[in-house]
Amino acid sequence: MGTVHHLDDHRSTSPDTTESVVNLVKDPAPEPTTPNSAPPVRRVSRAVRTARVLRMAATHERTRTAGRFTVRHGMYIVRHGMYIVGGGRIVARRAWEGRTASRYERMLRAAEAAGNLELATEWEERLSRFRAARHQRRMDLLSAPVRAAKGAAAGLGITAGGLLLLGIVLAVANENFADLATPTLALIELVRWIVLIITVVWGPLVVLGPWAALLALWGVGRHQQAAPQWVLPARAADVGAPITPSVVVTALRDLGIAPLRKAVKEMGDAGAAMLGPIRIAGCGVEVDVTLPSGVATDEVQKRRRKLAENLARHEHEVFITLPQAARTVRLWIADSGALDEPIGPSPLMTDTTLTADYTKGKAPWGQDLRGDAALISLYQRHMLITGLSNQGKTAALRALALWLALDPRVEFRVADLKGVGDWGMFDGLATVLIQGPTDDHVIEATEMLEDLVTEMERRIQAPPGTVFTPLIGIVDEAQVAFMCPVLDSEKRPYGGSKATARYFMAARKIHNQGRAVDVLLFQGTQDPTDQNLPKLVREGAHTRASLALGTESQARMALGDKAVDGGAAPNLLRPGLDKGTVVVASDGIKIPAGQAALTVRTHYISTDDAAEIATRAKALRGAVTTLHTIDQGEERDPLTDVLTVLGDTARVLTTDVLKRLTALSEDTYGTWSHLDLKRVLDGTGAEPYKSDGRMVVGRERLARVLANRDTEDSASAAE
């Protein structure tokens, strides 16, 4: 068998042994092997082996560990080196600004970019004073050598004279003429020691001085983080970080508003001129921002979420309002998590001696975002409060009613169309209390409002100077009344927003004239829409408040366009998390100048606590009989009564029909007019018609209508 040579030795093989050398080139047509022959040994090239070894070495855990160590410490060295470079740049800039007018020019450009002409004028005056002072210093330098020479000569003479005088005193005192030179020799010795000390210290100072300078530059650069972001260590999110001018300006710059970003970049003070003072305001801070020319306030308002995130806050922790100053937005930024903390209990619970004054007092409703008490006047103001279901609407409305209950003069008539006992404590406190969600309860609530209208009209017609006690009608879940499809006997709907809708018209009448005679209407409703809260009714309320809502369109229905355009955003409140927080638009509550609404975190009064307050109110006013249904007298059928008053006469004048109806039941028909009679008969087939030029009602037609109606009713009953 031939000898197998190593690859390294193949050049030295003889021609006789070349067949035994391993061939690295694949043969085009290898010879077939027999079944009993051994498989060929497959060899790999040096390049492949080298690649495998390199890959294994590169992916080995020790290599990775070493690589991470090198990169980490290399970045550490680079970072601290960049601190020194950045610190040197900062120190050089400070030195340059200290010696030149560049600082004043930069601040002047910033004031001009912000449109603050007053501040620009002030910096221009400072620049003029600086240049004048610098010119004076340069002029003084021209005469400095002469003054220095004179000063040196004078100083030398005074020193020599002083030493000589001191020597004379010593010589006389010691009676030794040699002491005359003692002070001069002592001064020479002092100088020699100073030179000696400097000679000893100078060497180390020369060695350590540059390192101390580098250390100082490093400290400046590290404090200012004067290094590229890619070499800085990763930092945890600074949630809840203090609000500083640089934080606010950076957040505004990164809002994505191109003119704002450009203006901040061009300002020499990095945008600080835009900001007013940052003031502590309750559980947060407040700052006014004067926007540069070309940036509208609504552009910032629309980016509330992004601004909050730039400030390391949640969206609900940043509020944007518009003060009176032009081109200015006011930012209120809460301390992180502060709005999730509950506020204290209501003064109605903590002060058992508290009383109310409907005319001059204000109800303690809660706290504003600053943490100040939110007091609201209810005097001669209709109220509407709305919001999503289960957000605290009933509790917020009930808290105001409980405060009013502590004024014995106030009379309540309450309709709770939810009917789960939320207003049960007003039994024995209100003169009317209706509780339930059915159509029958809506009918009773409507009749309660119509009784308020009747009382209002009576008061309006009273002699001038008559004093009236406050009468408050409260309807909770009013959307149930507006959506009620039931018709009365005259085919008039109880719900709806048309002129024929009884609840709607009663509410409108109270809104129109009730305030003047202290007849007020408080309503609470859910999910406002044009169907369950008609426009004319919601706009008739003097105080409009809203809890969390789903959309901006609902916010506009609840508070009005003016409040929403001014920054009110109940649709941005968090359902569930901001339960009990209301946005109020009213002249009865103190709203900061320039704002159209106020956000209030209301005190929560539980049902049990409300019952305790109601008990105190009952003790102040004595026993009150509460009606749970509205007694409207005998239920009458107008068509049957008209047929009755017609008697046997074939035709009766409409005027006579009205007189006979009044005689039949003055309570029911005493206020009827021709229009009321026409409305009842229209569409029945027995409408009034002309006979001999006068309007009459035909007996035969009406009898036929009633006969057909009775037949239809009987057939329906049989089915």
Side-chain angles (χ1 to χ4, degrees), residues 421-444:
D422 289 338
W423 294 85
M425 70 289 303
F426 276 77
D427 192 357
L429 187 60
T431 54
V432 175
L433 178 60
I434 300 166
Q435 300 182 89
T438 66
D439 291 341
D440 290 338
H441 293 101
V442 171
I443 292 172
E444 292 179 349

Side-chain angles (χ1 to χ4, degrees), residues 61 144 236 241 265 351 500 508 601 647 695:
E61 182 61 30
K265 184 177 181 181
D351 185 0
T500 56
R508 285 292 299 143
R601 303 173 69 196
M695 297 300 294

Side-chain angles (χ1 to χ4, degrees), residues 343-375:
I343 64 174
S346 170
L348 298 180
M349 288 300 303
T350 58
D351 185 0
T352 57
T353 63
L354 184 68
T355 58
D357 186 344
Y358 162 77
T359 305
K360 300 179 181 179
K362 292 187 176 182
W365 207 10
Q367 294 180 359
D368 61 15
L369 296 179
R370 292 172 170 269
D372 298 331
L375 306 176

Side-chain angles (χ1 to χ4, degrees), residues 110-129:
E112 290 175 345
N116 193 336
L117 298 181
E118 182 179 353
L119 185 60
T121 302
E122 180 181 348
W123 279 108
E124 187 175 9
E125 293 176 354
R126 292 184 181 182
L127 176 59
S128 299
R129 291 196 297 269

Side-chain angles (χ1 to χ4, degrees), residues 382 456-457 460 508-517 519:
H382 302 298
M456 176 191 72
E457 293 174 344
I460 292 174
R508 285 292 299 143
K509 289 178 180 178
I510 296 173
H511 281 170
N512 289 340
Q513 296 178 298
R515 182 191 66 82
V517 289
V519 177

Side-chain angles (χ1 to χ4, degrees), residues 143-160:
S143 57
V146 177
R147 290 199 305 270
K150 291 180 179 179
L156 181 61
I158 293 173
T159 302

Side-chain angles (χ1 to χ4, degrees), residues 511-649:
H511 281 170
N512 289 340
Q513 296 178 298
R515 182 191 66 82
V517 289
D518 289 319
V519 177
L520 304 181
L521 177 60
F522 292 0
Q523 295 183 97
T525 182
Q526 293 181 12
D527 303 334
T529 65
D530 286 328
Q531 288 71 39
N532 62 26
L533 186 59
K535 179 178 180 180
L536 292 178
V537 171
R538 61 179 185 253
E539 290 184 351
H542 302 97
T543 296
R544 299 168 71 171
S546 175
L547 294 100
L549 290 173
T551 63
E552 182 179 327
S553 61
Q554 288 183 322
R556 292 184 180 275
M557 292 181 185
L559 300 178
D561 292 336
K562 180 180 179 182
V564 174
D565 291 338
N571 53 301
L572 297 181
L573 295 175
R574 301 166 298 168
L577 297 177
D578 289 326
K579 183 179 293 187
T581 300
V582 298
V583 182
V584 188
S586 171
D587 61 350
I589 194 168
K590 185 179 180 181
I591 297 178
Q595 295 182 205
L598 182 70
T599 301
V600 176
R601 303 173 69 196
T602 60
H603 296 294
Y604 174 67
I605 302 176
S606 67
T607 302
D608 293 339
D609 292 339
E612 180 181 338
I613 298 171
T615 300
R616 298 206 310 263
K618 293 173 186 177
L620 292 175
R621 64 181 61 214
V624 174
T625 302
T626 301
L627 300 178
H628 295 277
T629 59
I630 304 299
D631 184 10
Q632 294 296 324
E634 181 184 358
E635 185 70 21
R636 307 195 69 89
D637 182 359
L639 293 180
T640 302
D641 287 345
V642 171
L643 182 61
T644 300
V645 299
L646 291 179
D648 297 332
T649 308

